[in-house]
């Protein structure tokens, strides 16, 4: 098994490069930016649909108003994602431009929206057909965004612009600077749609859906679902954030299928599309990637080693809310030969069982989008419309995951128990007990603590730290540890947690950026942003990062030390 892990690890540089692909990152970041609108619309659809589960019929005016809000928010998600994806890709390209060259990100967003409308909209009597403005048009969103960002980069590098005399104010010059890239981007989309209309007789959005339908159907099969679930786990086993690679490839399908499922239920049919946002969040990642919801409880209940019991107690609460980095890096599970098989097998088994419940037992798939941090059994129950069958499905998934993990957990535990016994019996491992600190010494005055603080950290020169991870889950744990340690030591250090992508507008407010292991593949672009402000960027290792989230004194010492080096 170690030989297999070693062979797989040799491919890590390639997978890291794949995770750093600008287009995959743009899709993911674009969806993250648009997520508030998606969750906002889901609140209203829940309010409109859930009362019917309990036999409550809302007044027609109220129901109509709720559906209107949903349709006018989720119904234009294609437009929103066209803008946010173009912005993410444009910012990525801008970091790599030669010094002195810039692109107008706002103009890129507007051009992407215009291009998307050219690809997705069909004129009808008295207006336009809005079918492809929502989730059905997401593929057009990506194409428009990619074309636009590349066109702006090309025009910027080649200096293709309308040059104005020096006397013209800069604001006016910038307007004319963007005329060519804006026009070329939109006209390129017009040309694509024209070709589709001439050769296929339908708008590009419709032809694109027809083209990709077989692929979406294959992804929604037993094999496809298992492959998606297993791939996310495989990348995470290497320490690379798996969903960052896999989800962009199926993003259009997982969101479109949720809306399709909802329409099926409204028409009295079964929600039969298994590949959805909820599938990724609550089935393939039940308790986090690798389906680790059961693991901390197994550590606490059946393990004898002190290490695993401690890890279980420290990680069970975050794992309940789908934040499983504490157990991935503290056990560790990442690159641990004992966990390679269950870490991949449990998600695949969950995918197959979920599909079985839908196809054979006629359970509804997900019809609502819920926040990813919703506890997985709750997300499964609510997301599928509160059907009793969903509760049974959750119980079965948890039971199967436990059965898969138990033999491997026991084997790893036995190994650790032997190691702990050996260390306990070794004379050199016996340490003298630390002297007990007096109560007077323990009560340090603020002035004394400040005197012991490094010279570079003072009330006149405080240290502001930004901690970044993928979803602001573990970064919040790290930031809280830093803040608690700073408070205990009376140091002017303040940490703030953010998800990657939301940092660009606030970066200049900090002196140090700490990267969690999940965003190591984004180091170069984050450093490029930080270098503009003279800000230091620090990478952390998995076990080190998780250890510091539980060590306030160590966390604040770490950031202070790194800020000085």
């Amino acid at each position: 098994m170690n030989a297999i892990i070693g062979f797989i690890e040799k491919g890590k540089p390639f997978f890291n490069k794949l995770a750093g692909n600008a287009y995959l990152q743009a899709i993911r970041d674009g969806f993250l930016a648009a997520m508030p609108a998606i969750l906002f619309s889901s609140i209203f659809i829940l309010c409109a649909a859930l009362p019917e589960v309990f036999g409550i019929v809302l007044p027609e005016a109220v129901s109509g108003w709720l559906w209107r809000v949903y349709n006018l928010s989720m119904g234009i998600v294609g437009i929103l994602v066209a803008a946010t994806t173009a912005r993410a890709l444009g910012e990525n390209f801008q970091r790599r431009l030669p010094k002195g060259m810039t692109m107008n990100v706002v103009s890129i967003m507007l051009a992407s929206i215009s291009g998307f409308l050219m690809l997705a909209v069909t004129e009808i009597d008295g207006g336009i057909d809005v079918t492809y403005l929502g989730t059905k048009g997401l593929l057009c969103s990506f194409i428009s965004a990619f074309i636009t960002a590349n066109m702006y980069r090309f025009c910027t590098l080649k200096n293709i612009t309308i040059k104005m005399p020096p006397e013209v104010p800069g604001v006016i010059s910038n307007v004319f600077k963007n005329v060519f890239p804006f026009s070329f981007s939109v006209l390129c989309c017009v040309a694509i749609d024209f070709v589709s209309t001439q050769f296929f007789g339908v708008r590009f959005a419709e032809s694109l859906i027809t083209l990709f339908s077989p692929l979406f159907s294959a992804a929604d099969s037993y094999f496809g679902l298992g492959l998606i679930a297993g791939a996310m786990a495989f990348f995470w086993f290497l320490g690379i954030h798996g969903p960052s690679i896999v989800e962009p490839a199926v993003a259009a399908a997982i969101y479109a299928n949720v809306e399709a499922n909802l329409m099926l239920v409204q028409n009295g049919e079964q929600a039969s599309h298994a590949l959805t946002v909820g599938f990724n969040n609550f089935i393939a990642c039940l308790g986090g990637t690798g389906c680790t919801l059961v693991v901390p409880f197994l550590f606490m209940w059946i393990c004898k080693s002190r290490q695993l019991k401690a890890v279980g107690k420290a990680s069970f609460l975050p794992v309940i809310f789908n934040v499983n980095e504490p157990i991935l890096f503290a056990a560790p599970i990442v690159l641990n030969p004992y966990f390679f098989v269950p870490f991949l097998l449990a998600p695949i088994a969950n995918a197959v069982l979920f599909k079985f419940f839908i196809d054979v037992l006629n359970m509804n798939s997900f019809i609502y989008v819920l926040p990813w941090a919703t506890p997985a059994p709750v997300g499964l129950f609510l997301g599928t419309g509160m059907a009793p069958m969903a509760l049974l499905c959750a119980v079965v998934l948890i039971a199967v995951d436990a059965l898969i993990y138990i033999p491997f957990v026991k084997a790893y535990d036995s190994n650790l128990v032997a190691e702990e016994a050996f260390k306990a019996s070794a004379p050199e491992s016996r340490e003298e007990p630390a002297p007990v600190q007096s109560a007077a010494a323990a009560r340090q005055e603020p002035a004394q603590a400040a005197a012991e603080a490094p010279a570079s950290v003072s009330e006149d020169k405080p240290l502001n730290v930004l901690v970044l991870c993928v979803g602001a889950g573990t970064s919040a744990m790290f930031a809280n540890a830093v803040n608690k340690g700073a408070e205990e030591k009376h140091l002017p250090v303040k940490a703030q947690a953010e998800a990657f992508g939301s940092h660009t507008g606030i970066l200049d407010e900090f002196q140090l950026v700490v990267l969690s292991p999940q965003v190591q593949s984004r180091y170069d672009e984050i450093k490029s942003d930080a270098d503009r402000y003279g800000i230091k960027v620090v990478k952390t290792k998995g076990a080190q990062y998780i250890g510091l989230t539980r060590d306030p004194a160590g966390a604040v010492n770490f950031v202070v030390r790194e800020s000085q080096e």
Side-chain angles (χ1 to χ4, degrees):
M1 184 61 74
N2 281 317
I4 295 175
I5 301 303
F7 175 77
I8 293 173
E9 194 172 8
K10 289 181 181 178
K12 189 173 180 179
F14 168 77
F15 296 127
N16 267 321
K17 187 175 181 180
L18 182 62
N21 180 271
Y23 297 94
L24 293 179
Q25 289 177 353
I27 292 174
R28 179 172 177 81
D29 294 344
F31 269 109
L32 286 175
M35 190 55 67
I38 295 172
L39 294 178
F40 168 80
S41 65
S42 297
I43 293 172
F44 286 86
I45 194 61
L46 283 169
C47 292
L50 283 184
E52 298 179 6
V53 176
F54 301 100
I56 301 173
V57 179
L58 296 175
E60 186 175 343
V62 174
S63 178
W65 179 78
L66 292 171
W67 279 100
R68 180 177 185 272
V69 175
Y70 171 80
N71 289 330
L72 294 180
S73 50
M74 193 68 168
I76 61 166
V77 73
I79 298 176
L80 302 180
V81 171
T84 55
T85 303
R87 174 188 172 181
L89 187 59
E91 289 177 342
N92 189 303
F93 287 166
Q94 184 159 264
R95 297 184 188 101
R96 306 176 191 183
L97 289 176
K99 191 174 181 180
M101 290 187 175
T102 60
M103 298 191 301
N104 189 319
V105 177
V106 174
S107 182
I108 291 174
M109 295 172 67
L110 296 178
S112 182
I113 292 173
S114 299
F116 168 78
L117 294 176
M118 299 299 172
L119 296 173
V121 169
T122 301
E123 294 81 0
I124 57 176
D125 291 339
I128 60 173
D129 182 2
V130 299
T131 302
Y132 296 99
L133 296 186
T135 56
K136 288 185 178 180
L138 286 173
L139 290 174
C140 290
S141 301
F142 304 149
I143 291 174
S144 174
F146 295 165
I147 289 172
T148 302
N150 277 284
M151 193 63 71
Y152 271 75
R153 180 175 63 170
F154 175 79
C155 290
T156 301
L157 290 172
K158 301 299 182 181
N159 197 27
I160 301 174
T161 183
I162 298 177
K163 298 179 181 179
M164 303 299 291
E167 295 79 14
V168 177
V171 176
I172 304 300
S173 296
N174 285 333
V175 172
F176 285 93
K177 178 183 178 181
N178 295 308
V179 169
F180 280 153
F182 186 100
S183 301
F184 295 157
S185 301
V186 177
L187 288 174
C188 187
C189 293
V190 170
I192 292 173
D193 184 66
F194 176 79
V195 171
S196 174
T197 304
Q198 293 300 311
F199 282 89
F200 303 109
V202 293
R203 293 294 183 191
F204 180 72
E206 186 175 347
S207 64
L208 202 60
I209 289 291
T210 303
L211 177 65
F212 278 89
S213 289
L215 184 61
F216 289 164
S217 297
D220 204 40
S221 66
Y222 283 98
F223 176 79
L225 294 171
L227 180 63
I228 290 166
M232 288 193 289
F234 174 78
F235 289 122
W236 239 135
F237 187 80
L238 296 177
I240 302 167
H241 196 266
S244 296
I245 300 176
V246 179
E247 284 189 352
V250 294
I254 62 177
Y255 285 94
N257 283 347
V258 173
E259 189 169 7
N261 281 340
L262 182 60
M263 297 301 108
L264 287 170
V265 170
Q266 286 182 318
N267 293 329
E269 302 176 52
Q270 181 200 8
S272 57
H273 300 290
L275 182 60
T276 56
V277 185
F279 166 80
N280 282 1
N281 291 341
F282 309 128
I283 304 299
C285 299
L286 182 67
T289 307
C291 297
T292 55
L293 180 63
V294 300
V295 176
F297 298 97
L298 294 178
F299 284 176
M300 290 188 291
W301 295 341
I302 70 172
C303 289
K304 298 178 181 179
S305 69
R306 291 191 298 273
Q307 175 183 326
L308 293 186
K309 282 187 176 293
V311 170
K313 292 176 183 178
S315 61
F316 80 92
L317 192 58
V319 168
I320 287 175
F321 293 94
N322 295 327
V323 178
N324 68 340
E325 286 86 349
I327 202 167
L328 293 182
F329 295 111
I333 290 178
V334 170
L335 287 173
N336 186 334
Y338 283 94
F339 289 105
F340 177 67
V341 172
F343 196 73
L344 269 65
L345 182 58
I348 294 172
N350 281 13
V352 172
L353 286 170
F354 181 64
K355 181 69 170 173
F356 175 83
F357 267 79
I358 293 171
D359 287 356
V360 179
L361 302 182
N362 295 320
M363 183 185 80
N364 277 336
S365 182
F366 289 91
I367 56 178
Y368 308 122
V369 177
L370 297 172
W372 64 268
T374 306
V378 177
L380 173 57
F381 180 57
L382 293 179
T384 55
M386 302 179 68
M389 187 66 71
L391 293 176
L392 175 61
C393 182
V395 171
V396 170
L397 294 180
I398 292 172
V400 169
D401 290 346
L403 290 174
I404 291 173
Y405 269 102
I406 282 174
F408 298 93
V409 169
K410 284 185 174 181
Y412 185 48
D413 180 55
S414 297
N415 182 63
L416 291 182
V417 168
E419 288 183 4
E420 291 172 359
F422 176 78
K423 291 178 181 178
S425 63
E428 60 271 18
S429 68
R430 295 172 187 151
E431 299 178 355
E432 293 295 325
V436 178
Q437 189 181 31
S438 67
R443 292 192 296 268
Q444 279 191 318
E445 294 296 325
Q448 182 182 350
E452 294 178 359
S456 62
V457 181
S458 64
E459 294 296 339
D460 296 331
K461 194 176 180 181
L463 174 62
N464 293 322
V465 181
L466 178 64
V467 189
L468 292 179
C469 71
V470 173
T474 55
S475 61
M477 297 166 60
F478 192 101
N480 289 339
V482 172
N483 292 332
K484 184 178 180 181
E487 183 179 352
E488 291 172 351
K489 293 192 172 191
H490 305 285
L491 294 176
V493 178
K494 186 176 181 181
Q496 179 177 330
E498 293 290 344
F500 180 87
S502 59
H503 67 287
T504 52
I506 59 173
L507 200 56
D508 58 345
E509 302 173 12
F510 301 92
Q511 291 80 50
L512 179 69
V513 178
V514 178
L515 302 186
S516 72
Q518 309 98 291
V519 290
Q520 302 289 323
S521 61
R522 316 295 290 265
Y523 173 78
D524 290 339
E525 57 186 290
I526 296 172
K527 190 174 186 305
S528 177
D529 288 337
D531 285 347
R532 290 183 294 170
Y533 305 104
I535 302 169
K536 185 176 181 181
V537 181
V538 179
K539 294 191 286 186
T540 56
K541 296 181 180 179
Q544 171 198 35
Y545 179 76
I546 297 303
L548 292 176
T549 64
R550 302 195 295 269
D551 180 11
V556 73
N557 289 340
F558 172 81
V559 298
V560 170
R561 182 176 66 252
E562 290 294 337
S563 69
Q564 297 177 67
E565 294 180 355

